[in-house]
């Protein structure tokens, strides 16, 4: 694969300083060469590696409608009117989910911070209730998933929480703080050196594999195969 390069980070840094359409149009060839081409090559390289982790997580190396998240921001209702995202976002979704609200893996590349993600972000109300119900019904299984030695060495749970336990769940639950979660995501930090490494797909796949306990728990809560 054509790897990500220092030019990738250089372009994203310059885009942040010149986040406007005229500059982007002049530099669009750099965007193609330094961002799109290596990102699609990376996604393609991840496909067989993900298949070994789960047959139900998809890697789709397409310019639109695939794993590569579009760089164009939706500014219709946003306070920030800059037209472009200044990071590379790559999502490997579960086959049953059509958007980011389904379980999946995520790769974030940005000059100020790169990371990997696993889990489900902002699940819809029915999915959120199902996950919370499974945590309440299977607390030991949830505990094993989030305290697995390999998982805990690479990932940390993150995301917003409610101030109080959600309706229908006891404040005395041993996992009440997890029941308060609005999303169930875990983050693993990356360095630029790791992103620029020759076997970046292998590194990513190895870390995603350690997130299997969390992913399997979430999929089971939503009656999805993992």
């Amino acid at each position: 694969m054509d790897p990500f390069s220092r030019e990738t980070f250089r372009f994203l840094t310059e885009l942040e300083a010149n986040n406007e359409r005229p500059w982007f149009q002049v530099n669009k060839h750099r965007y193609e060469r330094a961002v799109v081409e290596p990102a699609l090559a990376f996604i393609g390289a991840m496909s067989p590696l993900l298949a070994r982790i789960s047959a139900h997580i998809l890697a789709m190396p397409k310019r639109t409608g695939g794993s590569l998240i579009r760089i164009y921001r939706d500014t219709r209702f946003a306070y920030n009117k800059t037209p472009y995202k200044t990071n590379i976002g790559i999502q490997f979704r579960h086959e049953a989910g059509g958007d980011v609200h389904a379980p999946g893996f995520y790769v974030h590349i940005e000059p100020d911070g790169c990371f990997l993600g696993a889990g489900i972000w902002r699940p819809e109300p029915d999915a959120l209730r199902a996950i919370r119900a499974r945590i309440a019904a299977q607390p030991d299984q949830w505990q094993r998933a989030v305290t697995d030695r390999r998982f805990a060495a690479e990932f940390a749970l993150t995301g917003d929480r409610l101030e109080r336990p959600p309706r229908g769940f006891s404040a005395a639950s041993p996992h009440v703080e997890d029941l308060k979660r609005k999303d169930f995501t875990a983050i693993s930090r990356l360095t630029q050196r790791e992103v620029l490494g020759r076997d970046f797909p292998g590194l990513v796949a190895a870390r995603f594999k350690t997130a299997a306990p969390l992913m399997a728990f979430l999929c089971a809560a939503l009656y999805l195969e993992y």
Side-chain angles (χ1 to χ4, degrees):
M1 61 169 279
D2 294 327
F4 293 109
S5 65
R6 296 195 182 281
E7 175 61 16
T8 303
F9 288 101
R10 188 177 299 114
F11 174 83
L12 294 173
T13 298
E14 292 181 22
L15 176 59
E16 185 174 14
N18 302 276
N19 200 329
E20 53 190 25
R21 288 182 177 86
W23 184 91
F24 187 83
Q25 290 303 314
V26 171
N27 290 274
K28 194 168 183 178
H29 66 287
R30 294 176 59 204
Y31 166 68
E32 291 288 332
R33 186 178 65 249
V35 173
V36 175
E37 292 174 7
L40 293 178
F42 167 74
I43 294 166
M46 286 298 299
S47 183
L49 302 179
L50 282 173
R52 299 173 194 167
I53 298 171
S54 169
H56 306 284
I57 303 296
L58 305 179
M60 298 179 287
K62 301 192 298 183
R63 288 176 175 269
T64 58
S67 296
L68 180 61
I69 298 174
R70 65 198 304 267
I71 195 171
Y72 306 99
R73 298 182 62 250
D74 184 352
T75 61
R76 289 173 298 174
F77 308 107
Y79 176 78
N80 179 359
K81 296 299 183 180
T82 53
Y84 306 105
K85 298 171 185 174
T86 56
N87 67 275
I88 300 171
I90 297 170
Q91 55 184 351
F92 300 113
R93 300 191 299 261
H94 192 281
E95 62 187 3
D99 58 30
V100 295
H101 300 288
F105 294 113
Y106 176 71
V107 180
H108 185 97
I109 297 174
E110 187 171 15
D112 291 338
C114 303
F115 62 87
L116 303 177
I120 182 168
W121 182 80
R122 291 294 189 271
E124 299 293 344
D126 288 347
L128 183 58
R129 282 191 292 271
I131 294 169
R132 287 170 171 165
R134 187 168 180 86
I135 292 174
Q138 303 286 343
D140 292 342
Q141 189 179 79
W142 171 253
Q143 180 71 13
R144 287 194 298 271
V146 297
T147 60
D148 176 84
R149 179 177 56 83
R150 291 171 298 178
F151 172 75
E154 299 287 0
F155 285 88
L157 289 171
T158 186
D160 295 332
R161 287 190 178 98
L162 299 171
E163 292 185 5
R164 298 184 179 183
R167 183 177 300 176
F169 295 91
S170 171
S173 168
H175 296 295
V176 65
E177 293 304 313
D178 288 322
L179 293 173
K180 292 179 184 179
R181 292 186 182 278
K182 297 180 181 180
D183 44 45
F184 296 85
T185 54
I187 295 299
S188 178
R189 299 293 175 183
L190 291 168
T191 65
Q192 284 194 22
R193 184 174 181 177
E194 287 172 327
V195 173
L196 299 176
R198 294 182 64 86
D199 190 26
F200 183 50
L203 180 152
V204 173
R207 292 202 192 175
F208 283 168
K209 187 175 181 179
T210 68
L214 173 66
M215 291 290 287
F217 184 95
L218 295 174
C219 286
L222 301 177
Y223 299 96
L224 299 174
E225 293 185 273
Y226 177 71

